[in-house]
Amino acid sequence: GENVEQHPSTLSVQEGDSAVIKCTYSDSASNYFPWYKQELGKRPQLIIDIRSNVGEKKDQRIAVTLNKTAKHFSLHITETQPEDSAVYFCAAKENTGFQKLVFGTGTRLLVSP
Amino acid sequence: EPEVTQTPSHQVTQMGQEVILRCVPISNHLYFYWYRQILGQKVEFLVSFYNNEISEKSEIFDDQFSVERPDGSNFTLKIRSTKLEDSAMYFCASTSGPNTGELFFGEGSRLTVL
């Protein structure tokens, strides 16, 4: 089955800096890669996603890149703000008929003012 | 905005007791899921459910677990005889189709097994 690795486990940046979180996946048949933000005690919330037929997607300060050949994808947050502080999870959807997501281990992002 | 709702938000139970966690998926969604998250760890897939039957389950979802859609709106997860290691946050989710993108998670039910 799919296996997703995520790095780093923690990331501290100053407000206004950029943050990059990287994930690798093992199953070349995986075709959907969402990123979730989870605040303490809350549900994971989708912030951006990318499908395997696209190399890059951007939504305001957030972007995701996908390299299918290398089987890795990254989340880029520019101009970070303290409210970006949370745990971020990448995930890969196994190539089954349903939304079975395999999650990475999470990155705790701390943005200091 | 429609959302997935879950009850209870927190349940404390004794080891060996049965627990039922309830979910109301988004009304026009047909595909339902349970995921769990042990404190401080990643989110893990448990089971997917469509057309009144399990479509896929993980190795975590053993004989102690079952799911049911008892009526047109609820989707339940039952743990027959809870173990300490079942302590986790359980998230229900739903989608309108099998490959339609965003998985809508509920707020979660925190289960504490003593």
Side-chain angles (χ1 to χ4, degrees):
Chain A
E2 177 64 275
N3 182 51
V4 177
E5 303 276 344
Q6 183 172 349
H7 301 279
S9 57
T10 59
L11 180 59
S12 293
V13 300
Q14 291 292 121
E15 183 177 0
D17 288 350
S18 294
V20 180
I21 303 170
K22 298 181 178 182
C23 289
T24 61
Y25 60 99
S26 60
D27 187 354
S28 56
S30 290
N31 57 11
Y32 172 68
F33 306 93
W35 285 89
Y36 285 84
K37 176 182 180 182
Q38 187 177 34
E39 295 174 350
L40 192 62
K42 300 284 185 67
R43 71 180 117 189
Q45 293 203 292
L46 181 74
I47 55 171
I48 197 167
D49 56 11
I50 192 166
R51 295 197 176 274
S52 58
N53 58 348
V54 176
E56 184 173 358
K57 184 176 177 180
K58 190 173 180 181
D59 182 4
Q60 299 183 327
R61 296 186 297 109
I62 294 172
V64 57
T65 58
L66 171 65
N67 182 329
K68 283 194 298 182
T69 304
K71 289 189 281 188
H72 64 71
F73 56 114
S74 301
L75 177 71
H76 305 252
I77 307 174
T78 58
E79 299 170 31
T80 53
Q81 301 165 2
E83 50 266 40
D84 293 331
S85 297
V87 178
Y88 291 79
F89 290 96
C90 64
K93 177 185 172 301
E94 291 200 354
N95 193 22
T96 66
F98 300 89
Q99 288 292 79
K100 179 185 175 184
L101 298 181
V102 178
F103 283 81
T105 48
T107 295
R108 182 171 300 280
L109 175 65
L110 177 62
V111 181
S112 303
Chain B
E1 184 178 336
E3 59 179 31
V4 176
T5 57
Q6 289 185 240
T7 54
S9 56
H10 188 191
Q11 181 154 357
V12 181
T13 190
Q14 295 290 325
M15 191 168 55
Q17 294 296 303
E18 176 181 285
V19 159
I20 297 176
L21 306 179
R22 291 182 167 79
C23 168
V24 178
I26 293 173
S27 63
N28 63 342
H29 285 187
L30 301 174
Y31 298 79
F32 314 122
Y33 309 82
W34 284 100
Y35 284 75
R36 81 167 187 191
Q37 185 178 31
I38 295 171
L39 188 63
Q41 298 187 23
K42 65 181 177 181
V43 179
E44 299 174 290
F45 170 81
L46 290 180
V47 66
S48 58
F49 188 88
Y50 168 71
N51 199 25
N52 278 320
E53 60 183 27
I54 290 173
S55 48
E56 190 170 1
K57 59 184 180 180
S58 72
E59 55 275 10
I60 302 169
F61 195 90
D62 62 22
D63 292 345
Q64 293 300 311
F65 290 86
S66 62
V67 289
E68 191 180 29
R69 188 152 164 83
D71 53 45
S73 59
N74 289 285
F75 177 52
T76 62
L77 174 69
K78 183 194 290 187
I79 309 174
R80 224 177 315 279
S81 177
T82 50
K83 303 187 283 285
L84 296 176
E85 54 266 36
D86 293 328
S87 295
M89 181 75 94
Y90 289 81
F91 291 104
C92 176
S94 68
T95 59
S96 56
N99 293 294
T100 52
E102 181 172 2
L103 200 61
F104 289 84
F105 286 101
E107 291 284 3
S109 293
R110 178 166 297 286
L111 176 65
T112 302
V113 182
L114 303 177

